[in-house]
């Protein structure tokens, strides 16, 4: 008896949730807002509270029609989120084999089924459905996003680029950053194949679609420096500086190499001082101190660090200062400095050099594609470590 009562309560709760969702759907039936691939929030909360066997039993007796469509989709979404992909797939296939729905709903069904295949790792099946949805203006953007996820996972950069470029209306602004990055990936592949001419062509195409692609400018500067075209390399590096100031720290090593190749170390020190006024950072502080020591004196470097650390305290700057002072200290003081340096080194190893502006992912390497949120060109250098 208790089991029967419990089942009836579950069915009643589901029915109430379905009724709310149906009324909301009818109230907004004439709305021109973009459709959502997610089930109504009220139903999501509802199904989270009940186990899968209960829903299995309920789904078997649930009729397939326009009014129960969103309820079916909500249950399938619940199963997919729980990792029960086969059950989700069975529901979507059942819906597609049932009565004909409105055009909007049919597109949603194919999109959800493709997501089932994607979650199951059946990329070929998912790809086919997403490709068909590219012809549907309502689902085109979502289908394109999922297709590109597949191509990125498979590292098929050429297919990813060509798919976006094949859109009849041309690539929209949100895709242009990705096209630029795909071209950069193709350029790096060409460089691994020892084909710099092809790489340069891809990089020029990257800048054509995304004029703010710092990665392309840096690679072009590297190619120019490799051919001893140092003036051209500096032009590309200046372009990179103007594209995104957040990458000034990343541009710095290549700029130093080009200046040193030209024997212009003094000019590079001036460049460092200009950058310091423009955008102070821990790494720039250390680099400037090194140049003061090399070209002026240890005293000049020490004075610079003491002055700037007062305004911009940082572990990296402190470590650099202690390294400068260590040779002039007595034996006992050197011992303590060594201990402090080891502590600072340990602390710095735990701190990140880069952070994603979208999701907050941080690490010690620059990723053009964020490993966590899969956004392109959102991981940027940190000026000051936390």
């Amino acid at each position: 008896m208790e089991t029967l009562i419990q089942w009836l309560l579950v069915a009643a709760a589901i029915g109430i949730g379905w009724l709310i969702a149906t009324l909301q759907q009818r109230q907004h039936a004439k709305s021109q807002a973009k459709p959502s691939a997610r089930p109504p929030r009220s139903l999501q909360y509802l199904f989270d509270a009940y186990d899968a066997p209960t829903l299995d039993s309920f789904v078997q007796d649930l009729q397939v029609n326009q009014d129960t469509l969103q309820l079916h989709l909500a249950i399938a979404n619940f199963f997919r989120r729980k990792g029960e992909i086969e059950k989700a797939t069975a529901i979507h296939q059942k819906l597609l084999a049932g009565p004909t729905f409105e055009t909007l709903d049919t597109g949603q069904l194919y999109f959800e089924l493709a997501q089932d295949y994607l979650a199951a790792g059946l990329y070929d099946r998912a790809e086919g459905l997403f490709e068909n949805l590219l012809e549907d203006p309502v689902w085109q953007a979502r289908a394109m996003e999922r297709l590109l996820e597949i191509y990125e996972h498979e590292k098929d950069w050429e297919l990813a680029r060509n798919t976006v470029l094949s859109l009849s209306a041309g690539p929209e602004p949100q895709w242009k950053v990705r096209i630029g990055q795909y071209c950069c990936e193709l350029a790096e592949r060409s460089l691994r194949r020892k084909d710099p001419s092809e790489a340069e062509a891809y990089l020029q195409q990257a800048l054509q679609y995304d004029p703010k692609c710092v990665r392309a400018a840096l690679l072009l500067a590297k190619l120019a420096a490799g051919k001893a075209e140092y003036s051209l390399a500096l032009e590309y590096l200046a372009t990179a500086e103007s594209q995104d100031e957040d990458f000034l720290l990343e541009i710095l090593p290549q700029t130093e190499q080009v200046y040193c190749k030209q024997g212009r170390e003094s000019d590079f020190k001036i460049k460092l001082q200009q950058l310091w006024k423009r955008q102070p950072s821990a790494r720039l502080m250390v680099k400037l101190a090194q140049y003061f020591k090399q070209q002026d004196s240890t005293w000049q470097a020490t004075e610079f660090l003491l002055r700037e650390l007062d305004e911009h305290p940082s572990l990296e700057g402190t470590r650099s200062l202690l390294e400068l002072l260590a040779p002039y200290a007595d034996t006992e003081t050197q011992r303590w400095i060594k201990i402090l340096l080891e502590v600072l080194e340990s602390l710095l190893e735990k701190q990140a050099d880069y952070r994603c502006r979208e999701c907050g992912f941080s690490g010690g390497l620059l990723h053009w594609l964020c490993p966590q949120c899969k956004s392109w060109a959102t991981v940027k250098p940190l000026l000051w470590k936390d």
Side-chain angles (χ1 to χ4, degrees), residues 153-195:
H153 175 78
E154 297 176 341
K155 299 188 184 301
D156 196 336
W157 310 116
E158 191 162 10
L159 183 55
R161 183 198 60 172
N162 293 342
T163 299
V164 181
L165 293 176
S166 68
L167 294 175
S168 57
E172 295 183 8
Q174 73 259 34
W175 307 121
K176 291 186 176 181
V177 170
R178 293 175 97 150
I179 296 176
Q181 294 297 325
Y182 296 153
C183 289
C184 289
E185 292 287 348
L186 289 167
E188 292 196 350
R189 185 190 67 181
S190 298
L191 289 174
R192 290 192 294 270
R193 295 175 178 176
K194 311 297 183 183
D195 191 345

Side-chain angles (χ1 to χ4, degrees), residues 145 174 177-178 244 246-247 354-362 367-382:
E145 184 71 34
Q174 73 259 34
V177 170
R178 293 175 97 150
D244 192 340
D246 291 331
F247 279 94
Y354 302 91
R355 178 169 296 149
C356 177
R357 302 297 174 85
E358 289 293 322
C359 67
F361 167 84
S362 58
H367 298 274
W368 295 106
L369 176 62
C370 176
Q372 183 165 291
C373 69
K374 304 303 179 183
S375 298
W376 284 99
T378 55
V379 177
K380 299 186 178 183
L382 289 171

Side-chain angles (χ1 to χ4, degrees), residues 43 59 67 76 184 193 279 313 356:
L43 292 179
V59 170
D67 290 336
C184 289
R193 295 175 178 176
Q279 190 188 78
C356 177

Side-chain angles (χ1 to χ4, degrees), residues 320-354:
S320 183
L321 178 61
L322 290 173
E323 288 173 343
L324 288 173
L325 295 175
Y328 302 97
D330 56 44
T331 304
E332 183 63 19
T333 304
Q334 284 184 345
R335 176 170 168 267
W336 285 108
I337 288 177
K338 182 181 178 181
I339 293 173
L340 287 173
L341 286 173
E342 289 176 353
V343 172
L344 287 173
E345 192 65 36
S346 177
L347 291 172
L348 288 168
E349 285 178 356
K350 298 176 182 178
Q351 293 182 328
D353 293 312
Y354 302 91

Side-chain angles (χ1 to χ4, degrees), residues 80-320:
R80 188 169 63 221
R81 286 189 292 108
K82 296 296 183 182
E84 299 184 70
I85 310 301
E86 291 184 3
K87 292 181 180 180
T89 303
I91 292 175
H92 292 135
Q93 290 175 336
K94 174 184 175 182
L95 292 173
L96 285 168
T100 303
F101 297 105
E102 298 174 4
T103 304
L104 181 63
D105 295 327
T106 302
Q108 183 176 3
L109 288 177
Y110 280 114
F111 182 83
E112 294 295 339
L113 181 59
Q115 292 209 106
D116 293 339
Y117 290 146
L118 190 60
L122 302 173
Y123 295 115
D124 290 343
R125 294 187 185 182
E127 182 181 350
L129 291 177
F130 287 135
E131 284 178 345
N132 291 335
L133 287 172
L134 290 179
E135 304 299 323
D136 186 339
V138 176
W139 291 95
Q140 184 184 80
R142 290 187 177 97
M144 177 65 75
E145 184 71 34
R146 295 296 183 270
L147 263 180
L148 295 181
E149 286 179 14
I150 293 173
Y151 300 149
E152 289 169 7
H153 175 78
E154 297 176 341
K155 299 188 184 301
D156 196 336
W157 310 116
E158 191 162 10
L159 183 55
R161 183 198 60 172
N162 293 342
T163 299
V164 181
L165 293 176
S166 68
L167 294 175
S168 57
E172 295 183 8
Q174 73 259 34
W175 307 121
K176 291 186 176 181
V177 170
R178 293 175 97 150
I179 296 176
Q181 294 297 325
Y182 296 153
C183 289
C184 289
E185 292 287 348
L186 289 167
E188 292 196 350
R189 185 190 67 181
S190 298
L191 289 174
R192 290 192 294 270
R193 295 175 178 176
K194 311 297 183 183
D195 191 345
S197 297
E198 184 181 68
E200 185 174 354
Y202 280 130
L203 294 172
Q204 294 293 353
Q205 188 182 78
L207 289 175
Q208 176 186 347
Y209 285 104
D210 181 15
K212 293 187 177 181
C213 185
V214 174
R215 184 182 183 184
L218 289 175
L219 285 171
L220 283 167
K222 183 178 179 180
L223 284 174
K227 295 185 289 186
E229 297 176 354
Y230 300 123
S231 296
L232 180 60
L234 288 176
E235 287 181 18
Y236 282 127
L237 291 169
T239 298
E241 286 184 22
S242 65
Q243 288 169 322
D244 192 340
E245 285 197 349
D246 291 331
F247 279 94
L248 286 178
L249 287 176
E250 210 60 31
I251 298 166
L252 199 60
Q254 281 186 245
T255 306
E256 181 180 14
Q257 290 175 6
V258 174
Y259 273 100
C260 290
K261 289 284 186 181
Q262 295 177 306
R264 299 170 55 192
E265 287 81 358
S266 297
D267 290 338
F268 182 65
K269 189 182 80 169
I270 295 173
K271 174 77 172 177
L272 287 176
Q273 290 173 310
Q274 293 171 344
L275 290 177
W276 175 256
K277 292 179 181 178
R278 181 176 168 185
Q279 190 188 78
S281 68
R283 283 163 60 185
L284 191 53
M285 179 190 293
V286 172
K287 180 61 69 175
L288 254 174
Q290 291 173 354
Y291 264 76
F292 278 123
K293 179 184 177 182
Q294 291 171 6
Q295 297 194 347
D296 299 309
S297 65
T298 300
W299 178 81
Q300 289 283 356
T302 303
E303 283 294 306
F304 167 75
L305 287 172
L306 286 171
R307 181 175 66 252
E308 298 303 335
L309 281 171
D310 188 46
E311 187 174 350
H312 305 286
S314 75
L315 294 179
E316 290 170 291
T318 303
R319 178 182 61 180
S320 183

